[in-house]
Amino acid sequence: MTGVVPAMIHVLSLLSMMMLAGCTLTITASEPTPQPIIADEISLSFHDMPDVPAWVEELFDTTFDNRAWVRGIPFEPGHLGTIGIYGYLSVVAGGAGTLIIYVFEFEDDFGRRLLRVGGQVTSFAVPADPWDAVGFALAVRIVDDVLDQFEDWLAENSVGV
């Protein structure tokens, strides 16, 4: 502990001399430089959805895979894609149906959000468990909306196409 105080005094005196001399000290974080997005080099992968039943997560994973394939967008199993899709769903049962609220985020390999897409759809089903209102047709409708918005974003933000 005795060596810490003199060392700190030395650092503080160096900093004050630099300020008096008009020098500036710039400290930068070593965050990776964002790379341009090249549409022909991207692939998508679906990541875990928190707080949803496993079968709903599997339904969306499969639906994203199928609908991306239909559109010619490469889709990688697991978390191997260059852009990860993170989804959040909520279901709210009501007298006239079940409201499904969704948010999907597209992130690069460094965890930086590239795009957030959200919306809501209503199922006329009112099952005992609201999650049962989320079926294949509804998943396709949601995924198509999300991928439509992703393709629009990609057309505006990619280079080299």
Side-chain angles (χ1 to χ4, degrees), residues 21-124:
C23 298
T24 58
L25 178 64
T26 304
I27 300 173
T28 58
S30 60
E31 188 170 315
T33 306
Q35 298 298 314
I37 296 166
I38 302 171
D40 292 342
E41 295 179 8
I42 64 117
S43 61
L44 300 177
S45 61
F46 188 75
H47 292 253
D48 302 335
M49 293 177 76
D51 304 322
V52 303
W55 67 268
V56 172
E57 185 174 317
E58 181 62 32
L59 173 65
F60 275 87
D61 186 14
T62 302
T63 305
F64 268 107
D65 186 2
N66 292 338
R67 302 309 289 170
W69 180 81
V70 166
R71 294 165 182 258
I73 302 170
F75 193 88
E76 300 289 337
H79 301 157
L80 301 175
T82 58
I83 296 176
I85 304 169
Y86 297 83
Y88 307 92
L89 290 180
S90 293
V91 292
V92 181
T98 304
L99 179 65
I100 295 94
I101 303 164
Y102 59 93
V103 174
F104 287 91
E105 296 182 343
F106 292 78
E107 294 183 359
D108 67 10
D109 289 335
F110 300 107
R112 290 181 293 237
R113 183 184 327 139
L114 303 171
L115 173 68
R116 175 182 277 173
V117 176
Q120 61 187 35
V121 294
T122 301
S123 167
F124 295 109

Side-chain angles (χ1 to χ4, degrees), residues 133-156:
V134 180
F136 175 73
L138 233 132
V140 168
R141 188 170 153 195
I142 291 170
V143 169
D144 279 345
D145 175 52
V146 170
L147 290 177
D148 284 346
Q149 292 185 53
F150 172 73
E151 285 183 316
D152 290 345
W153 175 88
L154 188 61
E156 294 173 8

